[in-house]
């Protein structure tokens, strides 16, 4: 027995190592503190924790501190039953600690709002206490997570005060999860909501999910697909939802559901879903009352209506505002809200898809009730690798507008490719809208600072599933993380957020930081280059949206790749100026007047707005055709460079995560080549010009590419 001990120990350590690095713990992997001085400080703080009250959020703080202490220090923390004697770390709300905060200090913390917090050292009778103080128990939880992150990233300093507050009211994940656990555009397994076994069985993942979200300040989730199933509104399903809502509540997370507009017909035995019909209104009122009976802090409904075949008010000759307001009336007595999506793709409208949302929503400005938010995708087409910001931002003055980003990489290589989205979101958020005033940005509109709206929202379509590491690709976690951070503060820098995530995920080694940061910060541009450079868009294969398909026609022939790139023997690109669809005019005149001239259009959006000759001269002096080639080729080269960089870290990253990412980068490179080769061979059939000399000549045969779906198919979904 004795002799086996080292072997068992070894096995234990080995398994521990593997488990610790399978990615499950996300950025909350509290690893042993490496610096002796910090370890000493933290050890002292954790040896005398005093809670200034009792409530469910403090229970969670306690559990989190215990987890952290075991990870950081390999021991349990100890608590003090007395606030002075033996106490070093104070946990409480501003009110609970008011006697130790001067009036001015109290006022400052109060001004941070209900979710704002302060952490720092309080000196009382000559002794230092480190305090985690929120304006509410949930805010104290936020202070705790921030404190733990600072330890984990080796930046904790007791002499520095830190305060923070949320700039956006609703920071929300939208799950596109179906009740059968498939996920629309989900690439990391199945839905984490196990409807079948709820309400009886509570998967521990629900708790870890809530922890992760709370650690980022995400405070709302919509559980179900916007292509909605009315069943979620049945009483037995609401019982299941209640279990999740009860778990999430102390983490400060509110639950929303998607409402299928035709539910009164499907489940209320009514003949209509007309929002002005009394019986329909009663149906919704009763449903909503039933939901609030079970879930008193229910958030409200997220609705996709009259888009891609979803039912909506247009069937009854009513507009979006009439539809949304009817639901808003049912919700408002309970404090609930309606989030109404502006993603309206109607096959009946014979207009540039780009224009539809503005055409339908601008005339309704001022007609939506106060508890309605119109949720707008970041761009007017559909989560393309790169889009200019959506022209609805700035176009309406009396409508609450929320942002919808897509965290799941539907058009960006799904869970196979490493694409850090922080930089893309930053580009959108920092775009100038020039409306309502000249200095306005998208961020300023959605956080209310420019638009003055009270109800503010940033939503992200979730990339979370049942995969052990939650997001399929380890780096998908960085996008969940970045989304949370930018929703908390849309003015944060994507670079800073990436640094934070790297430290929390990979530890403290400088070379690891610099290499991974470079990989992350170049990854989005690389993907744009090898997929859809210079403003090209929607060139993906039909339905799956994964690999290249610039040649794809069929189905709705007018809305496939050919519709979007418009390549012909003369040139390429979508003319959205006044000689074309005119969509450019939906932007402020500062933009539309300038960009009507291709020479004044940022080249990254050139072919989004202009159809130009193959020999059009670019800023570099190259022709458009050459530049397209250089971009595709450049994208491939960056993808290769990403793997070279990663491989230099082989000895500095645990083998499980190293190999996971390394293998996926291998696939990414092959796919980037596939994109480049097939797209360039295809466009050459129109351009009829040789490839620029400096690029790698695209290999293969166009017919072959056209016949193949793409090398690494993620599979076709049954409902496609
Ligand atoms: O991006 C498209 C997706 C659809 C999705 C739709 C939407 C939920 O391809 O799968 O449906 O957008 O945002 O409603």
């Amino acid at each position: 027995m004795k002799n086996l001990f080292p072997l068992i120990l070894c096995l234990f350590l080995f398994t521990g190592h593997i488990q610790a690095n399978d990615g499950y713990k996300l950025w909350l992997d509290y690893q042993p503190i490496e610096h002796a001085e910090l370890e000493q400080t933290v050890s002292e703080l954790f040896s005398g924790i005093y809670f200034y009250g009792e409530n469910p959020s403090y229970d969670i703080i306690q559990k989190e501190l215990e987890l952290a202490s075991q990870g950081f220090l390999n021991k349990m923390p100890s608590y003090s039953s007395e606030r002075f004697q033996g106490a070093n770390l104070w946990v409480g709300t501003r009110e609970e600690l008011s006697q130790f905060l001067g009036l001015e200090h109290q006022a400052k913390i109060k001004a941070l709002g209900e979710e704002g917090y302060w952490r720092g050292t309080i000196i009382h009778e000559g002794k230092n206490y480190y305090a985690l103080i929120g304006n509410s128990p949930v805010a104290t939880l936020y202070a705790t997570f921030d404190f733990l992150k600072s330890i984990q990233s080796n930046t904790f300093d007791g002499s520095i005060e830190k305060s923070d507050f949320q700039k956006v009211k609703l920071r929300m994940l939208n799950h596109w999860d179906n009740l059968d656990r498939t996920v629309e555009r989900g690439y990391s397994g199945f839905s984490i909501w196990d409807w079948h076994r709820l309400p009886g069985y509570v998967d521990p993942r629900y708790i870890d999910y809530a922890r992760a979200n709370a650690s980022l300040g995400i405070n709302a989730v919509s559980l179900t697909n916007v292509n909605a199933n009315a069943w979620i509104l049945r009483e037995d399903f609401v019982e299941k939802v209640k279990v999740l809502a009860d778990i999430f509540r102390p983490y400060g997370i509110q639950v929303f559901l998607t409402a299928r507009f035709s539910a009164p017909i499907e489940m209320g035995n009514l003949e209509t879903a007309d929002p002005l019909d009394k019986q329909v209104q009663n149906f919704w009122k009763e449903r909503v009352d039933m939901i609030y009976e079970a879930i008193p802090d229910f958030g409200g409904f997220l609705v996709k209506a009259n888009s891609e075949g979803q039912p909506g008010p247009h069937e009854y000759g009513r507009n979006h505002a009439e539809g949304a307001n009817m639901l808003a009336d049912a919700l408002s007595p309970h404090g609930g809200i309606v989030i109404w999506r502006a993603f309206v793709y109607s096959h009946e409208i014979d207009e540039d898809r780009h224009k539809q949302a503005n055409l339908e929503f601008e005339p309704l400005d001022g007609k939506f009730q106060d508890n309605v938010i119109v949720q707008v995708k970041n761009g007017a087409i559909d989560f393309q690798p790169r889009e200019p910001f959506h022209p609805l931002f700035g176009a309406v003055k009396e409508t609450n507008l929320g942002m919808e980003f897509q965290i799941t990489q539907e058009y960006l290589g799904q869970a196979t490719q490493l694409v850090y989205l922080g930089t893309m979101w930053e580009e959108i958020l920092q775009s100038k809208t020039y409306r309502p005033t000249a200095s306005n940005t998208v961020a300023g509109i959605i956080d209310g600072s420019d638009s003055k709206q009270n109800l503010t929202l940033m939503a992200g379509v979730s990339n979370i599933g049942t995969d052990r590491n939650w997001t399929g690709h380890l780096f998908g976690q960085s996008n969940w993380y970045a989304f949370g951070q930018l929703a908390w503060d849309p003015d944060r820098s994507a670079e800073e957020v990436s640094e934070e995530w790297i430290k929390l995920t990979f530890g403290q080694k400088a070379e690891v930081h610099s290499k991974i940061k470079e990989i992350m910060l170049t990854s989005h541009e690389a993907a744009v280059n090898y997929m859809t450079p210079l403003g090209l868009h929607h060139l993906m294969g039909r339905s799956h949206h994964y690999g290249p398909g610039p040649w794809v026609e069929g189905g709705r022939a007018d809305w496939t790749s050919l519709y979007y790139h418009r390549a012909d023997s003369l040139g390429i690109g979508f003319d959205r100026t006044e000689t074309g669809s005119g969509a450019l005019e939906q932007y402020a005149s500062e933009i539309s007047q300038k960009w009507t001239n291709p020479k004044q259009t940022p080249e990254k959006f050139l072919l989004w707005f202009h159809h130009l000759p193959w020999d059009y001269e670019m800023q570099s002096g190259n022709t458009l055709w050459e530049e397209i080639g250089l971009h595709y080729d450049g994208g491939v080269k960056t993808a290769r460079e990403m793997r070279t960089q990663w491989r230099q870290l082989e000895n500095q990253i645990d083998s499980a995560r190293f190999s996971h990412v390394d293998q996926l980068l291998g696939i990414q490179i092959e796919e980037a080549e596939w994109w480049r080769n097939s797209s360039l061979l295809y466009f050459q059939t129109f351009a009829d010009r040789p490839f620029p000399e400096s690029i790698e000549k695209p290999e293969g045969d166009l017919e072959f590419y056209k016949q193949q779906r793409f090398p690494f198919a993620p599979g076709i979904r049954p409902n496609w």
Side-chain angles (χ1 to χ4, degrees), residues 28 76 89 130 135 297 300 313 463 470 504 557 578 587 670 708:
L28 300 173
M76 284 293 274
L89 181 65
Y130 194 77
N135 279 322
D297 58 349
N463 61 347
W470 300 86
L504 298 175
E578 55 191 353
Y587 288 93
E670 287 184 44
Q708 300 293 311

Side-chain angles (χ1 to χ4, degrees), residues 176 184-185 225-227 304 307-308 341 343 377 382-383 404 406 410-411 543 545 720:
W176 284 356
E184 173 134 359
R185 315 305 183 181
N225 193 350
V226 288
N227 292 336
K304 170 176 178 178
S307 175
E308 298 184 323
R341 296 177 83 228
F343 175 75
K377 287 189 182 180
D382 187 14
F383 299 134
E404 178 175 320
Q406 196 180 44
E410 175 179 351
Y411 292 94
S543 310
H545 294 165
W720 290 350

Side-chain angles (χ1 to χ4, degrees), residues 121-140:
T121 299
I122 294 178
I123 305 173
H124 181 73
E125 295 185 349
K127 191 184 164 201
N128 285 3
Y129 302 90
Y130 194 77
L132 304 174
I133 302 176
N135 279 322
S136 58
V138 167
T140 309

